């Protein structure tokens, strides 16, 4: 299994996450997805292939907090800024602006953030996608190439949102594309924080809070679909800036040893 640990992880992550579809539990378990599948898969495959040492290295990424204050600002505020820009553009293009009562719900965002962090996917996904899969993918690929591959996998993992009927195709399509694109900025954050899953988890929760927990419900019908595609456009613009500023090879000013020696050796076998 060690030689095929990445494939085993992907298969396990999907299997452990998609089981609600088989029991028609889409409306009860994360819109068709059990959100802790990727993290459980990462722990399972790491334990089977690398034992206690590998498990310690994996879990250490989740508590890697000494990364510099500006990266905490990125993790908390970049998703908020991009979502706010998309919402403002949507209103300028004719969507109904949120009323004062809706805007007042911003006071509940700290609580929403905690909920999204714990049960909304951030803790359930990031140790798998970024803690386990990304370092192995980057061991023999550029950061951009690894992100594109992981982005396709991560976006596809969300298919139960559509298959369970929680989202229509017009609603799911921008979600799929935005998830694919957002993988690159998250890799950028990961590579510039010495492989901190803690920071990508905070980023993930912030994005889910501002979108699903606040702005997206403010738009309905065609306004909601337009908002989804504006999110795609804004994220794409931010991603292009990151790639041209930091370079596609590492998405970082300097190469970072984010993959362990064992990861690199196994990636080349």
């Amino acid at each position: 299994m060690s030689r095929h640990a990445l494939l085993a992880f992907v298969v396990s992550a999907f299997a452990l996450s998609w089981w609600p579809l088989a029991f028609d539990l889409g409306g009860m378990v994360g819109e068709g997805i059990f959100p802790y599948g990727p993290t459980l898969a990462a722990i399972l495959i790491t334990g089977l292939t690398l034992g206690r040492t590998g498990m310690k290295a994996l879990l250490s990424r989740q508590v890697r907090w000494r990364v510099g204050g500006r990266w905490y600002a990125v993790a908390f505020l970049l998703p908020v800024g991009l979502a706010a820009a998309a919402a403002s553009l949507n209103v300028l293009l004719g969507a109904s602006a949120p009323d004062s009562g809706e805007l007042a719900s911003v006071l509940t965002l700290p609580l929403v953030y905690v909920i999204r962090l714990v049960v909304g996917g951030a803790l359930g996904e990031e140790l798998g996608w970024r803690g386990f899969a990304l370092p192995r993918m980057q061991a023999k690929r550029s950061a951009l190439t690894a992100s594109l591959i992981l982005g396709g996998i991560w976006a596809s993992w969300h298919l139960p949102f559509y298959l369970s009927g929680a989202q229509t195709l017009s609603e799911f399509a921008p979600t799929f594309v935005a998830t694919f694109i957002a993988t690159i900025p998250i890799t950028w954050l990961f590579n510039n924080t010495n492989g901190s899953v803690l920071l990508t988890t905070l980023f993930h929760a912030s994005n889910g809070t501002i979108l699903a927990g606040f702005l997206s419900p403010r738009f309905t019908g065609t306004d909601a679909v337009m908002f989804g595609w504006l999110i795609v456009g804004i994220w794409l613009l931010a991603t292009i800036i990151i790639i041209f500023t930091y370079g596609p090879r590492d998405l970082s000013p300097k190469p970072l040893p984010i993959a362990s020696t064992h990861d690199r050796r196994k990636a080349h076998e």
Side-chain angles (χ1 to χ4, degrees):
M1 182 184 287
S2 295
R3 296 187 63 182
H4 303 287
L6 188 55
L7 176 61
F9 160 75
V10 172
V11 172
S12 299
F14 275 67
L16 290 170
S17 301
W18 284 22
W19 61 264
L21 283 176
F23 298 95
D24 195 25
L25 297 176
M28 298 175 62
V29 183
E31 297 179 319
I33 297 179
F34 176 62
Y36 287 89
T39 287
L40 293 177
I43 292 172
L44 173 64
I45 302 303
T46 299
L48 291 175
T49 58
L50 299 178
R52 183 179 297 179
T53 301
M55 191 71 71
K56 182 178 179 181
L58 174 70
L59 295 178
S60 71
R61 295 187 183 277
Q62 188 67 70
V63 294
R64 194 167 295 175
W65 62 274
R66 294 184 177 180
V67 299
R70 64 174 177 152
W71 294 110
Y72 281 93
V74 168
F76 285 112
L77 300 179
L78 181 60
V80 175
L82 296 181
S88 299
L89 282 174
N90 204 26
V91 172
L92 288 174
L93 291 173
S96 299
D99 59 35
S100 58
E102 291 175 317
L103 292 176
S105 65
V106 71
L107 298 176
T108 67
L109 286 184
L111 176 60
V112 174
Y113 183 89
V114 173
I115 295 172
R116 300 291 306 185
L117 179 67
V118 177
V119 301
L123 281 175
E125 297 180 48
E126 288 302 315
L127 194 64
W129 303 133
R130 257 57 69 167
F132 184 95
L134 184 57
R136 287 165 171 78
M137 290 181 175
Q138 290 192 103
K140 61 177 182 179
R141 302 175 182 87
S142 71
L144 179 58
T145 300
S147 298
L148 293 174
I149 296 171
L150 182 58
I153 295 170
W154 188 30
S156 298
W157 180 82
H158 290 83
L159 274 169
F161 285 4
Y162 169 64
L163 298 176
S164 68
Q167 291 184 337
T168 64
L169 183 58
S170 62
E171 293 170 334
F172 177 71
T175 298
F176 183 94
V177 178
T179 301
F180 175 78
I181 294 171
T183 308
I184 299 171
I186 297 178
T187 297
W188 165 70
L189 177 63
F190 180 85
N191 286 1
N192 284 280
T193 56
N194 194 28
S196 173
V197 173
L198 172 62
L199 267 291
T200 67
T201 300
L202 297 177
F203 184 101
H204 190 149
S206 181
N207 190 57
T209 298
I210 193 63
L211 288 178
F214 184 62
L215 288 176
S216 293
R218 274 39 186 189
F219 300 111
T220 60
T222 57
D223 290 345
V225 174
M226 177 60 73
F227 178 61
W229 286 113
L230 287 171
I231 286 290
V232 169
I234 292 291
W235 275 95
L236 180 59
L237 177 60
T239 297
I240 291 171
I241 293 173
I242 288 171
I243 293 171
F244 277 92
T245 301
Y246 290 86
R249 186 178 186 276
D250 298 296
L251 295 176
S252 172
K254 60 181 180 179
L256 296 174
I258 57 173
S260 68
T261 301
H262 186 279
D263 291 338
R264 293 184 184 276
R265 184 173 66 250
K266 287 300 179 182
H268 286 278
E269 290 181 352

